[in-house]
Amino acid sequence: MLTRAPKGTKDILPSESYSWQYVEEKIRQIARLYGYREIRTPIFEHTDLFVRSVGDTTDIVQKEMFTFEDKGKRSITLKPEGTAGVVRAYIEHSLYAEPQPIKVYYITPCFRHERPQAGRQRQFNQFGVEVFGGKEASLDAEIISLAVKLFDSLAIKGLKVNLNSIGCPDCRGPYHEKIKEYLGDNINSLCKSCSDRYEKNPLRILDCKEEGCKALIAGIPLILDNLCDECKDHFDQVKAFLDAKGIDYQINPLIVRGLDYYTKTVFEIISDSLGAQSTVCGGGRYDGLVEECGGPKTPGIGFAIGLERLMMILEAQKAIDIVEEPMDIYIATIGDMARLKASDLISVLRKKGISADMDHVGRSIKAQFKYAGKQGYKFVCTIGENELTTGDLRIKNMKEGKEDSIRIESLLDYLIKQLGGSSND
Ligand code: HAM
């Protein structure tokens, strides 16, 4: 127990973390390119925020939240997704009073108590973007193109963008009646959750994974055929902007998304490199959410990419080689005086931005060389009694296998030259 991470969680080990940093850096670059700035919100929020925003008929709220009572007897929930906290922050800090749109992104852990499987964890990470205060269809196309740009920059192939519109409250009212009419007497055959949804939010029935419900909804009227004029026009414009940007997409009228806050555009990006959990990105508009959470009427839109799934695709496709830059120099030492000298030297090198290290575990000189070789240092040199007396040093370029003789005091200049001016000086 003590030596096992909790079910559904995973460590990211030093051997893997560079790939994560690489992807995160790409994310930050592209977010900047599109004018998004980072927002960081707490890992936990008041439970009511998620009930109100994600929706009490969703699987997330009904079954998957990590909820607990804090010492002040408040109900707290670890964030199951990133949007709700950002909306809360937007309202709390009156960001609506600043020039709109507000464009933000985040990289955050999320928590859902789901049955773990490949691509599905209880703690996972999302990269998400949210935009507030922009109702134009150009924005819907922009965020989809941002997601596609990120995948392209990582040379990811085999993705499909699935697009739908689920309308606004105006078109959804009459549409819900159509669903009820279509289901007729079959409501008694719906699963327990769907009976609940039938009353509160019939659209959710389209998202049910139960075979019985799936059979009942085959042939159900589609929301896309029941949009009001404004929503239809908006959807046509989204498609036109996507076409203009040359982004491939398919219309999938069955996408309703697993969260209640969406209006108009919804989309999912699916990968053929993932197994059952093939959705790597999901998002859409939420033009009523800010108001629902107590803020002024403000349109919103965003998406989130599951980073574990993105990493799985990278691993499966192996289209890019993500290789961590090795450390610059290892100073092997023989004897206590040499250790003091090496310690002094590595401080000087580090000050100039050259990564350097020495033995800290009392290894033999042979073992120090073996260690340095395994760690992949670019240069290795040895300091012993002889070097201390003469001031001469032999330094080996590990990749090229060639050795140079230099003076100890010129080690810094030698490395700056060899490393192509990597010094921060
Ligand atoms: P979501 O579809 O629930 O949307 O999650 C977004 C992505 O997070 C999924 O497509 C998937 O890649 C990843 N994901 C979800 N659950 C898990 C899990 N248990 N394990 C691993 N990855 C997972 C949202 O969360 C919305 N907040 C997206 C959004 C932002 N919509 C508007 N703005």
Side-chain angles (χ1 to χ4, degrees):
M1 196 75 168
L2 273 184
T3 53
R4 294 224 162 190
K7 195 170 172 186
T9 67
K10 269 196 186 147
D11 299 308
I12 297 168
L13 297 174
S15 54
E16 304 158 310
S17 58
Y18 181 71
S19 305
W20 282 78
Q21 288 171 12
Y22 179 90
V23 168
E24 285 165 7
E25 187 45 36
K26 274 268 178 299
I27 287 172
R28 292 180 194 285
Q29 278 168 8
I30 291 172
R32 259 193 303 274
L33 200 62
Y34 279 69
Y36 290 72
R37 294 163 75 201
E38 188 180 12
I39 186 165
R40 300 187 188 195
T41 65
I43 287 290
F44 55 83
E45 297 276 353
H46 294 294
T47 303
D48 280 349
L49 176 69
F50 299 116
V51 176
R52 181 63 79 91
S53 56
V54 173
D56 56 2
T57 57
T58 59
D59 281 353
I60 295 179
V61 168
Q62 285 186 348
K63 307 177 197 160
E64 297 168 0
M65 296 205 300
F66 281 89
T67 297
F68 59 96
E69 204 173 71
D70 73 2
K71 292 200 165 71
K73 302 230 172 297
R74 289 168 287 252
S75 181
I76 294 292
T77 294
L78 301 184
K79 55 168 123 158
E81 55 99 54
T83 311
V86 174
V87 168
R88 197 255 321 124
Y90 176 82
I91 301 169
E92 182 171 345
H93 304 286
S94 311
L95 298 184
Y96 47 80
E98 296 181 10
Q100 307 291 298
I102 298 283
K103 298 166 90 175
V104 295
Y105 78 94
Y106 50 84
I107 298 174
T108 184
C110 297
F111 305 85
R112 294 186 193 175
H113 200 283
E114 296 191 82
R115 203 165 42 77
Q117 63 179 82
R120 193 162 69 190
Q121 295 177 196
R122 291 185 176 171
Q123 176 174 344
F124 59 99
N125 293 280
Q126 281 188 345
F127 155 53
V129 306
E130 313 292 349
V131 186
F132 298 94
K135 61 177 181 10
E136 298 301 327
S138 51
L139 207 47
D140 306 46
E142 177 186 280
I143 67 160
I144 295 175
S145 91
L146 194 163
V148 169
K149 169 104 182 160
L150 174 67
F151 294 124
D152 282 351
S153 78
L154 295 166
I156 287 175
K157 301 263 179 303
L159 295 177
K160 282 202 180 89
V161 177
N162 285 332
L163 188 70
N164 192 20
S165 172
I166 57 170
C168 65
D170 282 352
C171 29
R172 228 175 281 162
Y175 175 64
H176 280 163
E177 290 314 310
K178 281 200 177 168
I179 294 185
K180 289 183 173 175
E181 208 176 287
Y182 177 85
L183 288 171
D185 292 342
N186 284 328
I187 57 163
N188 299 324
S189 315
L190 290 170
C191 73
K192 162 90 191 57
S193 307
C194 282
S195 310
D196 213 29
R197 291 165 177 158
Y198 183 86
E199 293 305 331
K200 291 189 183 153
N201 187 1
L203 184 72
R204 288 237 62 75
I205 297 173
L206 270 70
D207 201 35
C208 188
K209 309 286 177 296
E210 299 280 330
E211 288 308 323
C213 296
K214 274 190 184 167
L216 286 181
I217 61 164
I220 204 162
L222 299 171
I223 178 79
L224 211 48
D225 300 326
N226 289 277
L227 295 178
C228 66
D229 288 346
E230 192 203 317
C231 289
K232 191 174 170 314
D233 182 48
H234 188 270
F235 193 52
D236 287 342
Q237 286 190 46
V238 173
K239 290 184 285 184
F241 274 105
L242 287 172
D243 291 339
K245 285 180 185 295
I247 292 175
D248 264 345
Y249 59 88
Q250 280 94 40
I251 306 295
N252 180 346
L254 288 178
I255 293 181
V256 298
R257 307 277 301 121
L259 304 96
D260 273 356
Y261 46 64
Y262 292 108
T263 51
K264 294 186 175 155
T265 313
V266 287
F267 66 95
E268 290 180 346
I269 303 182
I270 312 288
S271 164
D272 59 11
S273 297
L274 295 166
Q277 302 305 316
S278 59
T279 311
V280 64
C281 173
R285 268 202 173 270
Y286 44 82
D287 289 348
L289 182 57
V290 172
E291 199 176 14
E292 177 73 26
C293 292
K297 199 169 173 1
T298 311
I301 185 165
F303 70 70
I305 290 175
L307 292 181
E308 281 72 13
R309 294 187 192 174
L310 189 157
M311 298 308 285
M312 282 169 71
I313 302 174
L314 281 181
E315 179 61 29
Q317 299 191 354
K318 293 203 186 337
I320 47 168
D321 233 0
I322 303 178
V323 186
E324 189 167 15
E325 177 85 344
M327 279 183 65
D328 296 325
I329 179 162
Y330 182 83
I331 304 181
T333 49
I334 311 166
D336 288 347
M337 291 308 287
R339 287 174 52 70
L340 276 176
K341 181 68 187 169
S343 169
D344 191 29
L345 279 172
I346 60 176
S347 302
V348 173
L349 296 175
R350 286 171 179 170
K351 258 190 211 148
K352 297 289 177 185
I354 293 173
S355 53
D357 213 349
M358 60 182 277
D359 174 59
H360 299 289
V361 295
R363 285 193 173 93
S364 70
I365 186 71
K366 199 172 150 207
Q368 288 183 51
F369 265 85
K370 203 166 154 199
Y371 170 81
K374 267 204 168 154
Q375 298 296 314
Y377 284 87
K378 293 180 196 156
F379 292 90
V380 180
C381 68
T382 308
I383 299 183
E385 216 173 295
N386 199 19
E387 286 76 12
L388 290 175
T389 321
T390 62
D392 290 330
L393 197 65
R394 288 190 72 69
I395 182 161
K396 184 167 181 182
N397 181 324
M398 300 300 276
K399 197 163 161 214
E400 294 167 12
K402 86 174 187 351
E403 271 193 5
D404 280 328
S405 286
I406 58 168
R407 299 286 301 160
I408 290 190
E409 63 271 18
S410 62
L411 179 62
L412 173 63
D413 289 341
Y414 173 85
L415 285 171
I416 290 176
K417 206 160 154 212
Q418 295 291 320
L419 294 167
S422 77
S423 155
N424 287 341
D425 201 19

